[in-house]
């Protein structure tokens, strides 16, 4: 089965086939890489004037001195794109890390600005901003995976956008622009699809939209959708056997164990096509023209995604399969209410954009790999049965497997007001004020069935570890960009953003503490830990329990600052419990010089700076991490050398200074540090050619991102990585992970009139070269004596290519299409992960969806 799904005997032939498809247009045009630049609802074919709003005002794409990739309504429909993975695959400057592969957990990167390990709910903020219309929807722990239907365009802005877009736009910004209500007439559409996935089940979707004028000055636009993604990963039968009888030497010291302890099976959960997803929701927007100058547009979006099973393939098993032992699911729902007010004061434009986002997730995850790994690691000292205290109330050894029940309640409120001078003037200004407050209520409950209450987290029987925290991130900014036409052909732009951030975290994390004998009874908890958890909580006098026990102080604990926790150990004490804070202020900038010798050619040079705020490490012995900054130097061009041909590109060099680096440290506990700096060289190009019935789009990016100093195991300001216990985790010159050096995509579409129908055939292909899944290449000796680097343990992301085909016909009111995605059924690996820092025995791969054959139909009215 594995041979069939991976196509190993033909992989080189298929890779050449896909690359040949990408370069097929060289028969017709000058060789180049390209990006699809379809961006306007009024020009979905993308070959005339394309209007974008990347600079907070409507402009022709060819006049915007920014590297922009854009996909319009028609292009999104042509490629059958409905979610983030769909459009990210087509955008060469965009890469991502799938945290377990579950929808809604992807961490986005651009231009190689990736150190890996991001996405933890207590960790770094994202380096790429995501906007839905005018409002930021960037979230920690995975981007908001907005369903793509009736979308005017998706704009991908490469490089630091820290002047107009702020803190989470250090490496770039992705903007999802919806189609707006239209007073010109009543119309709508309904689209449906049914598909079958190789090695899997049957999926499909139904979508629709209605645009209804309410008067000459008001219109309502409503969108609804439901999508079922078929599963293709099987949960196969398996067992786990843990240590039982401990072996001792002549002096009574443990020297090993017999695998005769608890034995478990997953027979009750064996299922084919284990990973299924259902997504449903809708949008509604009301546009009201108050008069000729002022428009108010309130909008609301609701979406719920229910995912079942595992989305990663266990590479230690054959085929597309896993062996998991607890129910797995993730429910992710969000609602956003937004208000945009646009008007004029004199001949200046004034815009207000405000939004409130409420996102809730609830999940259950299998964590058996952790127990399996640590039972093996501790095997020489008796395994988990002897080394820790996983026992029931009667003192009997229990099944050590864990499951994780998690939830996040994310809220974001943002407000921006800005003014823009007339775009036709020689001197132009965009300026504004921005504020956002985002919070997250974090709950992670690591449960072991039948764990004794005295060995559990206090007040939560059966919980070995609990994370119960409240996080708040606040941003304030004043920004502006001033452009001046020095001559008719030469323009200068200078922009800046003054920022201030204030981030805080408070709550509880860790193990419980046996309350017996005034918190001194043994064992202290199921993990036999005396370092983390309740023992670090504050008493009513502001002294940590561990210190109070050592000094004979009070053991009366202060009430939990976050509901649901036993007490508070993540805080400071100043007359009471206060959140741990990380705050700073500073400035970013952008300078641009643009030369336009004629209406068909533009060349520009840009120097810009972006940043990502610093934050807090939860562990007391790990210092806070500072902001990191990205310095960008870029030369680009926009050209239309002949009718129907557009060729744009950019060459850049970026310095990523003291980049934030997240990893699973001791006991699989996330730590964030500032690492060394990295230098990133890159080229982006796009080419679109319309030869009448034949349309060609090509896009490509080359990224060379490497560290400029050593990455140390223990922080070392000299980056020599010397001192006791220190070593070089990644030497100078190590390539940054996740981002492939080459990423290409291309589409060739041929249309022909056949009676009343317009028939077409379409070929789309993508390719990406290999990439590392972890930056740490140094070899470590594990507890069990194995010698391996984290990068080698997790494994490399091999190069892969996919080919997609479609044939269909459009009539005046109907359309019909037969499509095949991933024609050659390639086992493309888009991400790798493991369940814990020591769980290298079972690396998981998040694959591209296997070959999918489907039929689409639509109707307009």
């Amino acid at each position: 089965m594995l041979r069939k799904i991976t196509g190993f005997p033909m992989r080189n032939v298929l890779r050449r086939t896909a690359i040949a498809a990408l370069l097929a247009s060289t028969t017709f045009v000058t060789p180049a890489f390209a990006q699809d630049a379809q961006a306007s609802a009024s020009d979905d074919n993308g070959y005339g004037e394309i209007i974008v709003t990347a600079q907070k005002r409507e402009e022709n794409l060819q006049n915007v001195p920014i590297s922009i990739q854009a996909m319009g309504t028609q292009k999104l429909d042509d490629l059958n794109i409905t979610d983030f993975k769909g459009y990210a695959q087509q955008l060469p400057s965009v890469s991502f890390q799938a945290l377990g592969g579950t929808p809604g957990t992807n961490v986005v990167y651009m231009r190689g600005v990736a150190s890996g390990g991001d996405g933890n709910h207590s960790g770094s903020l994202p380096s790429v901003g995501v906007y839905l219309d005018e409002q930021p929807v960037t979230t920690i722990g995975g981007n908001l995976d907005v369903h793509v239907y009736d979308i005017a365009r998706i704009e991908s802005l490469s490089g630091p956008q820290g002047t107009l877009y702020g803190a989470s736009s250090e490496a770039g910004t992705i903007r999802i622009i919806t189609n707006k209500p239209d007073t010109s007439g009543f119309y709508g559409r309904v689209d449906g699809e049914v598909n079958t996935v190789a090695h899997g089940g049957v999926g499909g979707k139904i979508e629709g939209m209605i645009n209804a004028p309410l008067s000459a000055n008001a219109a309502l636009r409503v969108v609804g959708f439901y999508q079922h993604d078929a599963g293709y990963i099987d949960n196969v039968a398996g067992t786990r056997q843990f240590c039982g009888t401990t072996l001792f030497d002549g002096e009574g010291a443990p020297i090993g164990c017999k695998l005769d302890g608890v034995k478990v099976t997953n027979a009750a959960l064996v299922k084919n096509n284990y990973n299924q997803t259902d997504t449903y929701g809708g949008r509604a927007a009301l546009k009201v023209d108050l008069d000729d100058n002022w428009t108010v547009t309130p909008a609301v979006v609701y979406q719920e995604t229910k995912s079942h099973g595992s989305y990663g393939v266990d590479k230690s098993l054959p085929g597309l399969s896993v062996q998991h032992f607890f129910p797995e699911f993730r429910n992710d729902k969000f609602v956003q209410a937004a208000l945009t007010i646009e008007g004029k004061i004199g001949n200046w434009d004034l815009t207000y954009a405000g939004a409130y986002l409420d996102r809730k997730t609830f999940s259950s995850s299998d964590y058996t790999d952790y127990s399996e790994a640590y039972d093996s690691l501790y095997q020489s000292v008796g395994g988990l049965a002897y080394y820790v205290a996983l026992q029931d109330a009667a003192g009997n050894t229990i099944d050590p497997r864990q499951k994780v029940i998690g939830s996040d309640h994310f809220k974001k409120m943002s407000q921006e007001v800005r003014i823009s001078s007339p775009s036709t003037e020689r001197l132009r200004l965009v300026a504004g004020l921005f504020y956002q407050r985002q919070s997250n209520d974090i709950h992670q409950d690591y449960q072991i069935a039948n764990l004794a209450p005295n060995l559990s987290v206090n007040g939560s029987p059966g919980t070995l570890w609990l994370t119960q925290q409240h996080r708040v991130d606040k941003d304030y900014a004043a920004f502006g960009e001033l452009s001046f036409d020095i001559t008719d052909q030469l323009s200068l732009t200078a922009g800046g953003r003054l920022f201030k951030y204030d981030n805080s975290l408070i709550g509880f994390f860790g193990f419980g503490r046996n309350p017996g004998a005034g918190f001194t009874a043994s064992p202290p908890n199921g993990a036999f830990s005396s370092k983390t958890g309740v023992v670090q909580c504050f008493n009513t006098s502001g002294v940590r329990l561990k210190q109070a026990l050592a000094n004979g102080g009070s053991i009366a604990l202060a009430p939990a600052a976050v509901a649901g926790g036993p007490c508070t150990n993540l805080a400071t004490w100043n007359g009471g419990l206060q959140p741990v804070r990380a705050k700073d202020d500073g400035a970013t900038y952008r300078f641009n010089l643009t030369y336009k010798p004629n209406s068909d050619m533009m060349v520009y040079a840009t120097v810009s700076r972006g940043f990502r705020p610093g934050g807090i490490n939860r562990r007391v012995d790990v210092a806070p991490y500072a902001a990191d900054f990205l310095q960008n130097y870029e030369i680009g061009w926009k050209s239309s050398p002949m009718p129907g041909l557009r060729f744009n590109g950019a060459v850049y060099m970026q310095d990523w200074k003291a980049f934030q680096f997240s990893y699973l440290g001791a006991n699989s506990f996330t730590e964030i540090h500032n690492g060394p700096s990295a230098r990133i060289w890159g080229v982006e190009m796009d080419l679109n050619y319309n030869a009448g019935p034949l349309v060609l789009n090509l896009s490509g990016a080359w990224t060379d991102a490497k560290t400029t100093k050593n990455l140390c195991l223990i922080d070392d300001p000299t980056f020599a990585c010397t001192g006791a216990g220190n070593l070089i985790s990644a030497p100078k010159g190590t390539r940054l992970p996740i981002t492939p050096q080459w990423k290409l995509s291309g589409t060739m579409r041929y249309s022909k009139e056949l009676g009343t129908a317009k028939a077409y055939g379409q070929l789309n292909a993508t390719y990406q070269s290999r990439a590392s899944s972890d930056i740490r290449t140094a070899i470590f000796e594990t507890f069990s004596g194995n010698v391996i680097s984290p990068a080698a343990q997790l494994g490399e992301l091999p190069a892969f290519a996919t080919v997609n085909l479609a044939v269909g016909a459009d009539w005046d009111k109907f359309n019909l299409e037969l499509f095949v995605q991933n024609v050659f059924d390639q086992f493309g690996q888009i991400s790798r992960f493991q369940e814990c820092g020591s769980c290298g025995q079972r690396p998981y791969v998040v694959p591209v969806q296997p070959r999918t054959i489907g039929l689409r139909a639509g109707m307009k009215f």
Side-chain angles (χ1 to χ4, degrees):
M1 183 177 179
L2 183 60
R3 180 184 60 79
K4 179 175 69 173
I5 66 169
T6 58
F8 284 138
M10 298 182 64
R11 61 185 177 188
N12 292 330
V13 174
L14 296 177
R15 189 175 299 166
R16 295 191 193 102
T17 301
I19 296 174
L22 287 168
L23 301 178
S25 65
T26 56
T27 306
F28 308 98
V29 297
T30 305
F33 301 125
Q35 68 198 23
D36 185 271
Q38 295 178 294
S40 173
S42 62
D43 184 52
D44 279 329
N45 288 327
Y47 308 110
E49 181 177 282
I50 300 173
I51 302 301
V52 296
T53 53
Q55 297 192 119
K56 305 276 187 173
R57 62 167 85 232
E58 292 189 350
E59 297 172 286
N60 184 340
L61 172 69
Q62 296 302 95
N63 293 332
V64 180
I66 297 175
S67 181
I68 304 175
Q69 298 164 310
M71 307 179 75
T73 302
Q74 188 62 49
K75 187 65 176 180
L76 293 167
D77 287 347
D78 289 348
L79 295 177
N80 197 14
I81 290 173
T82 61
D83 58 13
F84 168 78
K85 288 182 180 178
Y87 63 78
Q89 192 175 29
Q90 303 294 328
L91 299 173
S93 294
V94 176
S95 56
F96 64 94
Q97 189 173 23
L99 303 175
T102 308
T105 62
N106 302 304
V107 179
V108 192
Y109 304 107
M110 296 182 73
R111 283 188 170 180
V113 180
S115 60
D118 299 311
N120 184 277
H121 45 216
S122 301
S124 299
L125 287 160
S127 63
V128 173
V130 180
Y131 277 66
L132 179 59
D133 291 320
E134 291 281 350
Q135 291 79 21
V137 293
T138 313
T139 60
I140 301 168
N143 69 295
L144 209 64
D145 200 346
V146 178
H147 184 80
V148 177
Y149 182 74
D150 194 39
I151 297 297
R153 62 188 179 274
I154 294 176
E155 298 178 3
S156 174
L157 285 57
S158 299
Q161 305 298 322
T163 301
L164 295 180
Y165 291 97
S168 285
S169 294
E170 178 183 40
T173 300
I174 294 175
R175 306 183 67 228
I176 303 169
I177 312 298
T178 62
N179 283 315
K180 302 301 186 291
D182 177 10
T183 58
S184 65
F186 178 88
Y187 57 89
R189 58 183 284 203
V190 177
D191 297 276
E193 175 188 314
V194 62
N195 60 63
T196 178
V197 181
H199 329 291
V202 176
K205 62 183 177 182
I206 183 75
E207 304 163 309
M209 61 77 55
I210 292 175
N211 183 87
L214 303 179
S215 68
N217 299 320
L220 176 69
R221 196 178 190 102
V222 179
V223 175
F225 53 86
Y226 169 77
Q227 178 170 326
H228 174 72
D229 294 324
Y232 48 86
I233 297 174
D234 301 334
N235 193 28
V236 299
T239 60
R240 297 290 183 269
Q241 179 91 54
F242 297 95
C243 282
T245 304
T246 303
L247 303 177
F248 298 92
D249 63 15
E251 298 179 357
I255 57 172
C257 73
K258 292 182 180 180
L259 290 176
D260 60 357
V262 175
K263 185 176 182 178
V264 296
T265 176
N266 68 343
L269 294 173
V270 170
K271 183 180 180 180
N272 291 334
N273 309 328
Y274 187 51
N275 60 319
Q276 302 181 42
T277 303
D278 293 282
T279 303
Y280 54 89
R283 300 194 313 268
L286 174 68
K287 182 180 179 182
V288 180
D289 296 326
L290 302 178
D291 56 28
D292 292 339
N293 294 324
W294 289 88
T295 298
V296 176
T297 309
V300 63
V301 181
Y302 174 83
Q303 180 174 312
E304 184 162 358
T305 301
K306 295 185 176 182
S307 305
H308 310 273
S310 171
Y311 292 76
V313 174
D314 185 343
K315 289 297 293 177
S316 69
L317 299 173
L320 297 171
S321 59
V322 295
Q323 279 182 353
H324 284 178
F325 293 77
F326 286 105
E328 296 179 286
F329 61 84
R330 185 175 189 269
N331 296 338
D332 182 352
K333 64 180 179 181
F334 69 86
V335 60
Q336 177 182 270
L339 176 65
T340 303
I341 303 174
E342 301 166 287
K344 286 186 175 294
I345 299 178
N347 61 351
W348 287 55
D349 294 325
L350 176 68
T351 301
Y352 166 80
Y356 178 78
L357 170 68
D358 190 298
R359 181 186 189 185
K360 296 178 181 179
T361 69
F362 180 71
S363 63
S364 175
S365 306
D366 180 80
Y367 207 46
T368 300
D369 289 2
Y370 179 92
S371 302
E372 179 189 30
Y374 278 89
D375 194 58
S376 176
L377 289 172
Y378 297 151
Q379 190 167 347
S380 63
V381 289
L384 292 175
Y386 181 84
Y387 193 75
V388 294
L390 302 181
Q391 304 167 353
D392 62 18
N396 302 310
T397 298
I398 59 175
D399 178 356
R401 293 175 302 135
Q402 299 180 41
K403 68 176 180 180
V404 185
I405 303 299
S407 67
D408 287 89
H409 188 181
F410 185 92
K411 301 177 183 179
K412 179 194 285 279
M413 186 268 289
S414 64
Q415 298 189 70
E416 178 176 303
V417 60
R418 66 177 183 270
I419 57 171
S420 303
S421 65
S423 60
T424 56
E425 297 296 324
R426 185 178 181 185
L427 182 66
R428 300 173 298 280
L429 173 69
V430 176
L433 299 172
F434 174 80
Y435 168 75
Q436 77 171 7
R437 183 187 189 276
Q438 48 190 332
S439 65
N440 191 10
D441 292 319
I442 305 163
H443 172 76
Q444 293 285 304
D445 186 350
Y446 293 73
Q447 298 180 357
I448 298 179
N450 301 315
L451 183 64
N454 282 358
L455 303 179
S456 304
V457 172
N458 304 57
S460 300
T463 295
L464 178 66
W465 174 287
L466 179 68
T467 299
Q468 197 78 14
Q469 298 170 352
H470 180 66
R471 174 172 180 164
V472 177
D473 297 272
K474 292 186 285 188
D475 295 276
Y476 311 80
F479 62 89
E481 281 198 348
L482 186 66
S483 299
F484 178 66
D485 295 334
I486 301 172
T487 69
D488 291 341
Q489 298 176 323
L490 189 65
S491 299
L492 177 66
T493 296
R497 188 181 187 96
L498 300 176
F499 67 81
K500 178 181 180 180
Y501 67 84
D502 184 354
N503 302 338
S504 65
L505 191 61
I506 190 171
F508 174 84
F509 66 96
F511 303 107
R513 184 74 177 188
N514 192 330
F519 291 112
T520 62
S522 183
N525 47 55
F528 247 112
S529 173
S530 294
K531 295 182 178 180
T532 305
V534 171
V535 73
Q536 294 290 350
C537 282
F538 289 95
N539 68 12
T540 54
S541 301
V543 178
R544 294 189 184 270
L545 178 60
K546 186 171 185 177
Q547 183 180 355
L549 290 173
N551 299 330
S554 170
I555 61 172
L557 298 178
V562 178
C567 49
T568 303
N569 58 10
L570 179 58
T572 60
W573 186 274
N574 184 13
L577 295 168
Q578 302 294 329
V580 181
R581 313 189 83 89
K583 54 184 179 180
D584 201 356
D585 54 54
T588 59
Y589 53 80
R590 175 175 175 264
F591 299 102
N592 172 270
L593 186 65
T594 300
Y595 176 62
K596 194 166 186 178
N598 56 60
S599 59
D600 297 324
M601 182 67 188
M602 181 181 73
V603 180
Y604 67 87
T606 297
V607 177
S608 57
R609 187 187 196 217
F611 88 104
R612 176 169 53 167
I616 303 130
N617 274 295
R618 292 178 289 173
R619 281 178 48 174
V620 177
D621 57 342
V622 180
Y625 55 95
D628 58 17
F629 293 86
L630 186 70
Q631 188 76 28
N632 176 62
Y633 306 90
E634 180 177 334
I635 296 175
W637 67 92
K638 304 282 181 78
S639 66
S640 304
M642 57 182 286
L645 177 64
R646 183 168 61 248
F647 178 44
N648 301 338
V651 179
Y652 63 86
M653 189 272 282
Q654 298 183 143
D655 283 326
W656 192 17
K657 300 180 179 179
F659 61 76
Q660 294 169 16
F661 170 60
S662 302
Y663 65 95
L664 292 176
N667 297 315
S668 297
F669 197 87
T670 300
E671 298 180 19
I672 306 99
H673 297 259
N674 288 93
S677 297
R679 176 157 290 178
I680 306 168
W681 295 89
V683 180
E684 301 162 337
M685 295 188 188
D686 74 271
L687 184 143
N688 298 308
Y689 183 59
N690 182 4
L694 179 67
V695 176
L696 302 168
N697 310 129
L698 291 176
S699 60
W702 174 79
T703 309
D704 187 34
K706 296 178 179 178
T707 59
T708 58
K709 296 178 181 178
N710 297 328
L711 175 64
C712 302
L713 178 63
I714 302 173
D715 289 345
D716 181 355
T718 69
F719 299 101
C721 306
T722 57
N726 209 353
L727 54 78
I728 298 173
S729 291
K732 173 183 176 181
T734 298
R735 190 177 302 282
L736 297 182
I738 312 303
T739 303
Q741 191 169 23
W742 289 95
K743 189 179 180 187
L744 313 171
S745 69
T747 303
M748 180 166 56
R749 187 179 178 94
Y750 183 81
S751 304
K752 185 175 179 60
E753 301 287 345
L754 294 177
T756 60
K758 185 177 183 180
Y760 62 85
Q762 178 176 278
L763 167 67
N764 172 258
T766 65
Y767 169 78
Q768 64 183 55
S769 61
R770 64 184 179 87
S772 172
S773 53
D774 195 296
I775 193 175
R776 296 167 294 170
T777 59
I779 295 175
F780 295 87
E781 182 174 355
T782 66
F783 188 91
S784 61
N786 296 325
V787 178
I788 193 170
S789 72
Q793 178 175 269
L794 192 55
E796 189 176 69
L797 298 170
F800 71 91
T802 59
V803 176
N804 310 307
L805 296 175
V807 292
D810 292 327
W811 289 268
D812 184 39
K813 297 294 185 180
F814 301 95
N815 64 279
L816 188 66
E817 178 183 280
L818 176 67
F819 66 88
V820 184
Q821 296 174 339
N822 193 4
V823 173
F824 298 108
D825 200 18
Q826 288 295 284
F827 184 66
Q829 301 183 27
I830 57 178
S831 188
R832 281 179 171 249
F833 68 94
Q834 56 193 45
E835 288 189 358
C836 70
S838 298
C839 294
Q841 83 280 10
R842 294 185 184 276
Y844 292 85
V845 169
V846 180
V848 297
Q849 184 164 299
R851 181 175 54 243
T852 301
I853 301 173
L855 184 67
R856 294 200 295 160
M859 178 182 69
K860 299 177 183 178
F861 55 88

